Every structure is written in structure tokens, then in C-alpha cells.
Amino acid sequence: MPELPEVETVRRGLNQLTLNQKITGGDVLLDRTIAYPFSVGEFIDGIKNNAIAIWHRRGKYLVAELTPVEKDTGTRGHGDTENSFPASLRLPLSASPPIAWLGVHLRMTGQLLWVDRDEPLHKHTRVRLFFGDRQELRFVDQRTFGQMWWVPPGVPVESVITGLAKLAADPFADEFTVEYLAGKLQKRRRPIKTALLDQSVVAGLGNIYADEALFKSRILPETLCTDLQLKQIENLRTAIIQVLETSIEAGGTTFSNFLNVKGVNGNYGGVAWVYNRAGELCRICDTPIMRIKLAGRSSHFCPQCQRG
Ligand SMILES: [Zn+2]
């Protein structure tokens, strides 16, 4: 499952490749990829004739700012896009037009790929967004949990992409302090590993980086949040930020089927401390790494390096 570093890697790729080019249309191959409350037709009509000004990330959500493209701007060269841009669709000029948004959540297996229009369709392609210059952004998603949203101009993003409203602070945000994390953790008596997967506690962590951060902060995954000392929470906060930064620098992980927007696999796999290493030796103390199930998810840890 893509976690914060993978989504951040995708965001950076999208910001290099997709900005300021007119979206000339789209094709939705699986209707339920387009999230409530808008229909497929409303989604395509809403996004068409806009360009993406910039991609943002919050937790594992990608959110792009859309700006209307006026005639003779935002296209590169060829006249063929003129025909798909009738005058009636031009949006009125305004001093500061309210922004529309395109939201994406990759969930379990979603991938955004920037490809040539002629590239053969992968069988799990769910949505195609056509850009000028015969490029397109494809949403490929084997498990079909991924979602896309269109948020009309002037509508608060959180009122349409409702998951954003429940999201905790991003680990890279200023508000993600030791006090903030301690406040979130001390609310409920449950294993720390389970709490770290809760997007209302920390935004963006999943199974891989929760296991890695617990190893680096030497905390056993079963430890109850309410039993953690403030010093341990401080170490945990630092470890969360470090493991995420390391993975972003490496371009995301090779675990599962993560690909960046150019279809290239990341390479964090070579530096994992515990994740997916059950039975292999700890890189610090040579004790075999163990795996247990917590709330239905595998947790990997070193019984020697990690304590309660
Ligand atoms: Zn160890």
C-alpha cells in the first residue's frame, strides 16, 4: 500500500510532468473510481479545459489546484486542441477566481502514470485524463479501492473529500510536535502499532513505516499508548520523521507494487530494518526478527532491540 513517502514521490513526479497543460478530456473506465457526490459526466466536464497549477499532499491524499485555461494559452503549439475548446465552455474572467480541485487517493494499489496516449492500456486502467501534446495521466488500480474527486470552484475541499477533515497533522507539519503526538496517543488505550496506523493520530503512516519507526525508537509494537513515557514519544516522533525522510530520498519503497509516475520502482527495500524481514537477523544485534498480528496487520520487530 502506498504510504506517505510513495505518495510524496508521486506528487513530486506529477509536479515535474503535468503542470500548466490543458486537460482536453478524459475517459472513466470504472465509474465507482469517481467518488461521491459527482457523476462521471460532472467529473469529466469539471476537469476538462483546466490546467493543473500545482499538486499538494496531505497524508496520503493528493490534491491538485485546477485553473481554467483560456483560449490560446496553456496549449503547446499544435492547433488540434482548438477544436475541443468551444467558446461556450470558456469560463468568465474574474480578478481572483475561486479554485477548483482534483483529488486522488491511491488506497491499496492505485498508481498514477504519465504516459504517451498511444501506450497500450493496462487491464486495470480505471481513469484516463487527456492532456495536450498527446500525453495522458492514467489511474491504474488493481484492487479498485482508489478514488478520484472533483471539487467545484468555491466549495471547501474538506466538504467533498471528507477524509481530509478527519486527518491528523502531517509528520512534516510544524504542528506535529511531541505534545501533539502525546495528546493523540493518550486518548485511547491500545497498542502503539495500531494507533500509528490511525490516520487521525498521524497522517500518512502505514504498515511499513510504522514498523520501521517503532524499531528506530526501540518500542515494541504491542506497547499500550497509555504506558508510553514522554521521552519514548519524543523518540518515536523523531523516528517517524527520519524513516519517512529516508524513504522519500530513496524515491519510495519497492514493497508491494509501488511505481512512480514514470513507472519506475523505488528502492527503500534495501534499507528496511524490520519490515517484511521475519526470521532474518536484526541488523543491529543479530537476533531473528519476529512477526506478530495486531488488529489484523502483520507487525515486524526485534525482541532484543525493542522494549515496552
Ligand atoms: Zn535487534
Side-chain angles (χ1 to χ4, degrees):
M1 181 192 301
E3 303 181 28
L4 190 153
E6 292 77 49
V7 178
E8 177 64 19
T9 301
V10 169
R11 185 187 77 87
R12 292 178 182 189
L14 291 169
N15 277 340
Q16 285 172 0
L17 297 168
T18 67
L19 305 187
N20 305 314
Q21 300 164 59
K22 188 164 83 170
I23 300 171
T24 56
D27 188 13
V28 175
L29 289 86
L30 181 71
D31 285 5
R32 65 185 153 86
T33 306
I34 306 307
Y36 181 85
F38 297 107
S39 68
V40 166
E42 289 166 327
F43 174 84
I44 296 293
D45 287 346
I47 287 174
K48 199 169 154 184
N49 295 323
N50 283 271
I52 292 168
I54 190 154
W55 287 89
H56 303 277
R57 181 190 57 75
R58 270 202 63 199
K60 300 181 212 171
Y61 288 85
L62 288 162
V63 189
E65 288 183 24
L66 297 173
T67 51
V69 179
E70 296 300 326
K71 194 175 180 180
D72 297 327
T73 62
T75 59
R76 292 202 210 146
H78 318 298
D80 59 340
T81 50
E82 294 289 298
N83 294 334
S84 61
F85 194 27
S88 60
L89 279 180
R90 259 178 263 157
L91 293 167
L93 280 171
S94 150
S96 57
I99 294 169
W101 305 86
L102 166 66
V104 183
H105 200 302
L106 304 174
R107 302 290 179 202
M108 299 290 286
T109 54
Q111 299 169 342
L112 283 171
L113 298 172
W114 181 251
V115 295
D116 192 272
R117 192 86 55 92
D118 298 329
E119 180 90 7
L121 275 192
H122 187 284
K123 70 172 173 178
H124 299 128
T125 304
R126 308 306 180 194
V127 178
R128 307 171 70 188
L129 295 180
F130 305 129
F131 289 68
D133 283 354
R134 302 203 52 77
Q135 293 289 301
E136 73 178 76
L137 187 62
R138 281 188 194 163
F139 188 60
V140 176
D141 186 18
Q142 183 184 355
R143 297 282 297 275
T144 73
F145 292 111
Q147 288 176 293
M148 298 180 92
W149 294 261
W150 170 61
V151 183
V155 173
V157 182
E158 288 87 352
S159 70
V160 174
I161 310 176
T162 52
L164 288 173
K166 301 168 196 147
L167 217 52
D170 196 271
F172 296 118
D174 290 342
E175 65 179 306
F176 187 67
T177 60
V178 178
E179 294 73 23
Y180 177 93
L181 184 58
K184 291 281 187 183
L185 293 178
Q186 279 153 7
K187 276 184 185 163
R188 279 178 65 187
R189 194 174 159 80
R190 57 179 168 171
I192 180 62
K193 170 64 188 292
T194 307
L196 291 180
L197 298 179
D198 182 342
Q199 300 299 297
S200 70
V201 172
V202 190
L205 277 193
N207 218 24
I208 299 171
Y209 302 104
D211 280 0
E212 294 289 286
L214 287 172
F215 175 82
K216 277 191 77 87
S217 53
R218 303 183 145 236
I219 299 168
L220 283 172
E222 290 169 289
T223 311
L224 293 177
C225 298
T226 42
D227 290 342
L228 288 173
Q229 306 295 313
L230 195 61
K231 181 66 189 166
Q232 289 178 294
I233 295 174
E234 195 178 330
N235 293 341
L236 179 59
R237 175 189 168 274
T238 304
I240 288 169
I241 293 169
Q242 280 177 355
V243 296
L244 295 175
E245 278 177 349
T246 302
S247 182
I248 291 168
E249 282 164 20
T253 180
T254 54
F255 302 121
S256 67
N257 55 356
F258 171 68
L259 299 176
N260 69 17
V261 287
K262 291 177 183 166
V264 178
N265 207 195
N267 56 7
Y268 184 73
V271 293
W273 291 102
V274 288
Y275 182 78
N276 218 18
R277 296 192 66 233
E280 295 177 41
L281 302 183
C282 173
R283 299 188 196 279
I284 304 287
C285 73
D286 282 348
T287 303
I289 300 299
M290 293 183 67
R291 175 173 57 207
I292 55 167
K293 286 260 181 187
L294 278 176
R297 307 289 302 272
S298 286
S299 285
H300 310 81
F301 63 97
C302 172
Q304 180 66 32
C305 293
Q306 292 169 254
R307 297 294 166 93

